[in-house]
Amino acid sequence: MDVAAIDQLQVIVDDQSRLGIAFILFVMMFSVALSLRLTDFVLVRRQPLRVLGGVAAQLIGLPLLTLGLILLISPPASIALGMLVVASCPGGNISNVLTRAAGGNTAYSVTLTAISSVSAAVMTPVSILLWSSLYPPVDALVEALHVDPLPFFAQTAVLLAVPLALGMALNAWKPAMAERMSRVLGPVGLACIALLVLVGIVQNWPVFLAAGAVVIPIVILHNSAAFGLGWLSGRAMGMEGARRRSLTFEVGIQNAGLGLVILLSQFDGVGGAAAIIGVWSIWHLIGGSLLAGLFRWSDSRKLGANAKERET
Protein backbone atom coordinates (compact mmCIF):
# COMPACT_ATOMS: atom_id res chain seq x y z
CA MET A 1 0.00 0.00 0.00
CA ASP A 2 0.98 3.67 -0.34
CA VAL A 3 3.05 4.60 2.73
CA ALA A 4 1.14 7.86 3.14
CA ALA A 5 -2.15 5.94 3.29
CA ILE A 6 -1.09 4.40 6.62
CA ASP A 7 -2.18 7.64 8.29
CA GLN A 8 -5.76 6.92 7.21
CA LEU A 9 -5.89 3.55 8.96
CA GLN A 10 -7.79 3.42 12.24
CA VAL A 11 -8.47 0.85 14.96
CA ILE A 12 -12.17 1.00 15.81
CA VAL A 13 -12.72 1.46 19.55
CA ASP A 14 -16.32 1.61 20.86
CA ASP A 15 -17.50 2.83 24.27
CA GLN A 16 -17.51 -0.66 25.80
CA SER A 17 -13.95 -1.21 24.59
CA ARG A 18 -12.89 2.08 26.17
CA LEU A 19 -14.24 0.94 29.53
CA GLY A 20 -12.35 -2.31 29.19
CA ILE A 21 -9.18 -0.42 28.25
CA ALA A 22 -9.55 1.83 31.31
CA PHE A 23 -9.90 -1.26 33.51
CA ILE A 24 -6.77 -2.81 31.98
CA LEU A 25 -4.86 0.42 32.61
CA PHE A 26 -5.97 0.43 36.25
CA VAL A 27 -4.92 -3.20 36.76
CA MET A 28 -1.55 -2.59 35.06
CA MET A 29 -0.57 0.43 37.12
CA PHE A 30 -2.02 -0.97 40.36
CA SER A 31 -0.03 -4.18 39.97
CA VAL A 32 3.14 -2.18 39.24
CA ALA A 33 2.61 -0.09 42.39
CA LEU A 34 2.03 -3.19 44.53
CA SER A 35 5.62 -4.25 43.87
CA LEU A 36 7.17 -0.86 44.66
CA ARG A 37 8.93 -0.59 48.02
CA LEU A 38 10.89 2.16 49.71
CA THR A 39 13.99 -0.02 49.47
CA ASP A 40 13.73 0.26 45.67
CA PHE A 41 14.73 3.92 46.01
CA VAL A 42 17.70 3.46 48.37
CA LEU A 43 20.22 3.81 45.52
CA VAL A 44 18.96 7.35 44.86
CA ARG A 45 20.57 8.44 48.12
CA ARG A 46 23.66 6.23 47.81
CA GLN A 47 24.49 6.83 44.15
CA PRO A 48 22.47 9.87 43.03
CA LEU A 49 24.49 10.73 39.92
CA ARG A 50 24.32 7.24 38.44
CA VAL A 51 20.63 6.92 39.21
CA LEU A 52 19.74 10.38 37.86
CA GLY A 53 21.93 9.76 34.80
CA GLY A 54 20.10 6.51 34.11
CA VAL A 55 16.71 8.18 34.58
CA ALA A 56 17.74 10.99 32.21
CA ALA A 57 18.80 8.48 29.56
CA GLN A 58 15.39 6.86 29.78
CA LEU A 59 13.04 9.83 30.19
CA ILE A 60 14.90 12.40 28.06
CA GLY A 61 17.47 10.53 26.00
CA LEU A 62 15.10 7.99 24.44
CA PRO A 63 12.46 10.52 23.27
CA LEU A 64 15.25 12.74 21.94
CA LEU A 65 16.81 9.81 20.10
CA THR A 66 13.36 8.88 18.76
CA LEU A 67 12.79 12.40 17.44
CA GLY A 68 16.18 12.30 15.71
CA LEU A 69 15.34 8.92 14.16
CA ILE A 70 12.00 10.29 12.96
CA LEU A 71 13.70 13.28 11.35
CA LEU A 72 16.14 10.88 9.67
CA ILE A 73 13.67 8.39 8.18
CA SER A 74 10.59 10.69 7.83
CA PRO A 75 7.89 8.06 8.52
CA PRO A 76 4.15 8.79 8.12
CA ALA A 77 2.76 10.94 10.93
CA SER A 78 0.83 8.09 12.56
CA ILE A 79 3.96 5.90 12.65
CA ALA A 80 5.95 8.77 14.17
CA LEU A 81 3.21 9.27 16.78
CA GLY A 82 3.44 5.61 17.80
CA MET A 83 7.23 5.85 18.11
CA LEU A 84 6.96 8.93 20.34
CA VAL A 85 4.25 7.38 22.53
CA VAL A 86 6.40 4.29 23.11
CA ALA A 87 9.47 6.41 23.87
CA SER A 88 7.47 8.42 26.42
CA CYS A 89 6.34 5.38 28.41
CA PRO A 90 8.09 4.20 31.59
CA GLY A 91 10.29 1.14 31.62
CA GLY A 92 8.63 -2.25 31.91
CA ASN A 93 9.14 -4.76 34.73
CA ILE A 94 10.36 -7.26 32.14
CA SER A 95 13.60 -5.26 32.08
CA ASN A 96 14.34 -6.51 35.61
CA VAL A 97 13.90 -10.12 34.50
CA LEU A 98 16.11 -9.65 31.43
CA THR A 99 18.74 -7.81 33.48
CA ARG A 100 18.93 -10.74 35.89
CA ALA A 101 19.13 -13.22 33.00
CA ALA A 102 21.92 -11.19 31.38
CA GLY A 103 24.00 -10.97 34.55
CA GLY A 104 23.30 -7.26 35.03
CA ASN A 105 22.90 -5.23 38.20
CA THR A 106 19.34 -6.08 39.24
CA ALA A 107 19.18 -3.56 42.12
CA TYR A 108 20.03 -0.72 39.73
CA SER A 109 17.45 -1.98 37.23
CA VAL A 110 14.71 -2.16 39.87
CA THR A 111 15.51 1.38 41.06
CA LEU A 112 15.25 2.84 37.55
CA THR A 113 12.01 0.96 36.86
CA ALA A 114 10.54 2.18 40.14
CA ILE A 115 11.42 5.82 39.45
CA SER A 116 10.12 5.79 35.88
CA SER A 117 6.90 4.06 36.99
CA VAL A 118 6.21 6.54 39.80
CA SER A 119 6.99 9.54 37.58
CA ALA A 120 4.84 8.20 34.72
CA ALA A 121 1.69 9.94 35.95
CA VAL A 122 3.28 13.29 35.09
CA MET A 123 6.15 12.53 32.75
CA THR A 124 4.33 10.28 30.26
CA PRO A 125 1.56 12.73 29.21
CA VAL A 126 3.97 15.71 29.33
CA SER A 127 6.52 13.83 27.21
CA ILE A 128 3.94 12.74 24.63
CA LEU A 129 2.63 16.29 24.23
CA LEU A 130 6.09 17.90 24.20
CA TRP A 131 7.84 15.64 21.72
CA SER A 132 4.80 15.35 19.45
CA SER A 133 4.70 19.13 19.14
CA LEU A 134 8.31 19.20 17.89
CA TYR A 135 7.56 17.22 14.71
CA PRO A 136 5.10 19.19 12.52
CA PRO A 137 3.37 16.18 10.85
CA VAL A 138 2.62 14.61 14.26
CA ASP A 139 1.62 17.97 15.69
CA ALA A 140 -0.85 18.39 12.82
CA LEU A 141 -2.17 14.85 13.31
CA VAL A 142 -2.73 15.41 17.04
CA GLU A 143 -4.52 18.66 16.25
CA ALA A 144 -6.68 16.92 13.64
CA LEU A 145 -7.67 14.36 16.28
CA HIS A 146 -8.85 17.26 18.48
CA VAL A 147 -6.60 16.23 21.36
CA ASP A 148 -6.82 19.15 23.80
CA PRO A 149 -3.52 19.26 25.76
CA LEU A 150 -4.94 20.19 29.17
CA PRO A 151 -7.74 17.58 29.28
CA PHE A 152 -5.37 14.98 27.85
CA PHE A 153 -2.79 15.70 30.53
CA ALA A 154 -5.37 15.77 33.33
CA GLN A 155 -7.15 12.57 32.25
CA THR A 156 -3.95 10.62 31.64
CA ALA A 157 -2.33 11.82 34.87
CA VAL A 158 -5.37 10.85 36.92
CA LEU A 159 -5.72 7.46 35.20
CA LEU A 160 -2.08 6.70 36.04
CA ALA A 161 -1.77 8.40 39.43
CA VAL A 162 -4.83 6.90 41.16
CA PRO A 163 -3.90 3.20 40.79
CA LEU A 164 -0.25 4.02 41.54
CA ALA A 165 -1.19 5.82 44.76
CA LEU A 166 -3.60 3.08 45.83
CA GLY A 167 -1.11 0.31 45.13
CA MET A 168 1.76 2.00 46.95
CA ALA A 169 -0.50 2.85 49.91
CA LEU A 170 -1.64 -0.77 50.19
CA ASN A 171 1.96 -1.97 49.97
CA ALA A 172 2.97 0.37 52.80
CA TRP A 173 -0.05 -0.61 54.94
CA LYS A 174 -0.32 -4.33 54.24
CA PRO A 175 2.90 -5.49 52.52
CA ALA A 176 2.08 -9.19 52.80
CA MET A 177 -1.33 -8.68 51.20
CA ALA A 178 0.21 -6.47 48.51
CA GLU A 179 2.76 -9.18 47.69
CA ARG A 180 0.03 -11.82 47.35
CA MET A 181 -2.08 -9.55 45.16
CA SER A 182 0.96 -8.64 43.05
CA ARG A 183 1.60 -12.32 42.31
CA VAL A 184 -1.92 -12.56 40.88
CA LEU A 185 -2.46 -9.14 39.32
CA GLY A 186 0.97 -8.96 37.67
CA PRO A 187 0.29 -11.96 35.39
CA VAL A 188 -3.32 -10.82 34.96
CA GLY A 189 -2.15 -7.43 33.72
CA LEU A 190 0.28 -9.03 31.27
CA ALA A 191 -2.42 -11.43 30.10
CA CYS A 192 -4.85 -8.53 29.57
CA ILE A 193 -2.31 -6.67 27.44
CA ALA A 194 -1.51 -9.82 25.46
CA LEU A 195 -5.24 -10.37 24.91
CA LEU A 196 -5.70 -6.73 23.92
CA VAL A 197 -2.92 -7.00 21.35
CA LEU A 198 -4.21 -10.35 20.04
CA VAL A 199 -7.83 -9.19 19.75
CA GLY A 200 -6.70 -5.92 18.20
CA ILE A 201 -4.65 -7.75 15.57
CA VAL A 202 -7.48 -10.18 14.76
CA GLN A 203 -10.19 -7.50 14.59
CA ASN A 204 -8.00 -5.08 12.65
CA TRP A 205 -6.00 -7.53 10.60
CA PRO A 206 -6.19 -5.40 7.41
CA VAL A 207 -4.60 -2.50 9.32
CA PHE A 208 -1.67 -4.55 10.55
CA LEU A 209 -1.31 -6.42 7.27
CA ALA A 210 -1.20 -3.18 5.30
CA ALA A 211 1.20 -1.46 7.69
CA GLY A 212 3.38 -4.46 8.56
CA ALA A 213 5.94 -4.09 5.78
CA VAL A 214 6.65 -0.54 6.93
CA VAL A 215 6.21 -1.00 10.68
CA ILE A 216 8.32 -4.08 11.43
CA PRO A 217 11.66 -2.71 10.11
CA ILE A 218 11.03 0.61 11.89
CA VAL A 219 10.28 -1.14 15.21
CA ILE A 220 13.44 -3.26 14.96
CA LEU A 221 15.54 -0.19 14.11
CA HIS A 222 13.94 1.91 16.87
CA ASN A 223 14.29 -0.78 19.54
CA SER A 224 17.88 -1.55 18.55
CA ALA A 225 18.72 2.15 18.78
CA ALA A 226 17.12 2.26 22.26
CA PHE A 227 19.25 -0.67 23.47
CA GLY A 228 22.31 1.02 21.97
CA LEU A 229 21.49 4.29 23.72
CA GLY A 230 21.28 2.52 27.08
CA TRP A 231 24.63 0.82 26.59
CA LEU A 232 26.41 3.95 25.36
CA SER A 233 24.91 6.07 28.15
CA GLY A 234 26.24 3.65 30.73
CA ARG A 235 29.64 3.68 29.09
CA ALA A 236 29.68 7.49 28.95
CA MET A 237 28.96 7.59 32.70
CA GLY A 238 31.82 5.19 33.41
CA MET A 239 29.61 2.38 34.67
CA GLU A 240 30.91 -1.15 35.10
CA GLY A 241 29.64 -3.86 32.77
CA ALA A 242 26.82 -5.16 34.98
CA ARG A 243 25.32 -1.71 35.44
CA ARG A 244 25.68 -0.93 31.72
CA ARG A 245 23.66 -4.03 30.97
CA SER A 246 20.96 -2.89 33.38
CA LEU A 247 20.71 0.50 31.70
CA THR A 248 20.65 -1.15 28.29
CA PHE A 249 17.48 -3.04 29.19
CA GLU A 250 15.92 -0.13 31.08
CA VAL A 251 16.09 2.10 28.00
CA GLY A 252 15.28 -0.64 25.49
CA ILE A 253 12.34 -2.24 27.32
CA GLN A 254 9.39 0.14 27.55
CA ASN A 255 5.90 -0.41 28.94
CA ALA A 256 4.41 -0.66 25.45
CA GLY A 257 1.15 -2.00 26.89
CA LEU A 258 0.64 1.33 28.65
CA GLY A 259 1.37 3.14 25.38
CA LEU A 260 -1.23 1.05 23.56
CA VAL A 261 -3.85 1.76 26.20
CA ILE A 262 -3.15 5.51 26.05
CA LEU A 263 -3.29 5.49 22.26
CA LEU A 264 -6.60 3.64 22.09
CA SER A 265 -8.23 5.70 24.82
CA GLN A 266 -6.90 9.17 23.98
CA PHE A 267 -5.90 9.18 20.28
CA ASP A 268 -8.88 7.47 18.60
CA GLY A 269 -6.92 4.33 17.79
CA VAL A 270 -4.75 5.76 14.99
CA GLY A 271 -3.90 2.67 12.94
CA GLY A 272 -0.26 3.35 12.12
CA ALA A 273 0.55 4.22 15.74
CA ALA A 274 -1.35 1.17 17.02
CA ALA A 275 0.63 -1.05 14.64
CA ILE A 276 3.94 0.39 15.88
CA ILE A 277 3.08 -0.09 19.55
CA GLY A 278 1.54 -3.53 19.01
CA VAL A 279 4.61 -4.79 17.15
CA TRP A 280 6.95 -3.15 19.70
CA SER A 281 5.16 -4.91 22.57
CA ILE A 282 6.10 -8.23 20.96
CA TRP A 283 9.46 -7.40 19.41
CA HIS A 284 11.17 -5.83 22.45
CA LEU A 285 10.70 -9.14 24.29
CA ILE A 286 12.30 -11.02 21.39
CA GLY A 287 15.09 -8.48 20.96
CA GLY A 288 15.68 -8.26 24.71
CA SER A 289 15.86 -12.04 25.08
CA LEU A 290 18.32 -12.30 22.20
CA LEU A 291 20.45 -9.57 23.75
CA ALA A 292 20.41 -11.27 27.18
CA GLY A 293 21.50 -14.49 25.49
CA LEU A 294 24.31 -12.62 23.72
CA PHE A 295 25.54 -11.19 27.02
CA ARG A 296 25.50 -14.65 28.60
CA TRP A 297 27.33 -16.15 25.62
CA SER A 298 29.97 -13.42 25.89
CA ASP A 299 30.43 -14.22 29.59
CA SER A 300 30.81 -17.93 28.91
CA ARG A 301 33.45 -17.24 26.26
CA LYS A 302 35.41 -15.04 28.67
CA LEU A 303 35.22 -17.70 31.38
CA GLY A 304 36.43 -20.30 28.89
CA ALA A 305 39.32 -18.10 27.77
CA ASN A 306 40.33 -17.40 31.38
CA ALA A 307 40.23 -21.11 32.20
CA LYS A 308 42.54 -21.88 29.27
CA GLU A 309 44.97 -19.17 30.40
CA ARG A 310 45.11 -20.67 33.89
CA GLU A 311 45.76 -24.14 32.44
CA THR A 312 48.70 -22.85 30.42
Side-chain angles (χ1 to χ4, degrees):
M1 70 175 296
D2 183 6
V3 173
I6 291 177
D7 285 343
Q8 308 304 317
L9 299 175
Q10 186 175 17
V11 176
I12 304 301
V13 183
D14 56 27
D15 291 338
Q16 289 182 336
S17 297
R18 291 181 191 279
L19 288 175
I21 289 168
F23 173 75
I24 290 173
L25 177 58
F26 183 92
V27 171
M28 283 177 54
M29 301 312 295
F30 185 67
S31 64
V32 167
L34 287 174
S35 63
L36 297 179
R37 300 174 177 83
L38 290 178
T39 54
D40 296 339
F41 301 90
V42 169
L43 282 180
V44 178
R45 185 178 69 252
R46 293 179 180 173
Q47 301 173 359
L49 293 181
R50 287 188 169 185
V51 172
L52 293 177
V55 170
Q58 190 174 15
L59 300 185
I60 300 174
L62 181 56
L64 182 60
L65 170 71
T66 302
L67 181 62
L69 189 60
I70 288 170
L71 293 173
L72 179 65
I73 65 177
S74 299
S78 61
I79 297 270
L81 173 62
M83 294 171 68
L84 291 170
V85 169
V86 165
S88 299
C89 287
N93 288 340
I94 298 298
S95 63
N96 307 150
V97 177
L98 292 172
T99 293
R100 188 179 300 112
N105 187 317
T106 305
Y108 184 60
S109 175
V110 169
T111 296
L112 294 184
T113 300
I115 292 174
S116 67
S117 297
V118 169
S119 64
V122 173
M123 289 302 299
T124 295
V126 166
S127 184
I128 291 173
L129 292 172
L130 171 64
W131 296 103
S132 296
S133 69
L134 297 179
Y135 186 60
V138 174
D139 190 34
L141 175 60
V142 171
E143 186 175 343
L145 293 171
H146 305 293
V147 177
D148 194 332
L150 286 179
F152 168 76
F153 171 78
Q155 292 171 13
T156 305
V158 169
L159 283 172
L160 296 178
V162 170
L164 278 171
L166 290 175
M168 293 183 70
L170 180 59
N171 194 10
W173 179 47
K174 296 282 189 181
M177 179 187 296
E179 184 177 359
R180 290 194 298 270
M181 292 180 67
S182 178
R183 291 175 183 173
V184 175
L185 291 180
V188 168
L190 290 175
C192 286
I193 289 299
L195 182 62
L196 181 64
V197 172
L198 180 61
V199 171
I201 291 176
V202 171
Q203 290 184 344
N204 301 274
W205 179 245
V207 173
F208 288 93
L209 187 64
V214 176
V215 165
I216 293 175
I218 290 178
V219 167
I220 294 174
L221 174 63
H222 188 196
N223 188 222
S224 300
F227 283 129
L229 173 64
W231 175 263
L232 292 175
S233 297
R235 191 177 185 117
M237 287 185 278
M239 295 180 181
E240 74 281 4
R243 205 178 297 264
R244 285 202 302 269
R245 293 183 184 186
S246 303
L247 189 54
T248 299
F249 290 113
E250 283 305 310
V251 178
I253 301 295
Q254 298 301 101
N255 192 338
L258 173 61
L260 186 59
V261 169
I262 291 175
L263 178 78
L264 295 177
S265 61
Q266 302 289 336
F267 290 93
D268 292 341
V270 177
I276 279 284
I277 300 173
V279 172
W280 178 290
S281 66
I282 298 170
W283 171 257
H284 74 162
L285 301 178
I286 298 172
S289 298
L290 291 173
L291 186 57
L294 181 62
F295 281 136
R296 278 300 191 186
W297 175 77
S298 175
D299 289 343
S300 65
R301 287 202 61 182
K302 288 179 182 178
L303 287 174
N306 291 336
K308 288 182 178 179
E309 287 182 6
R310 287 194 297 268
E311 289 175 0
T312 58

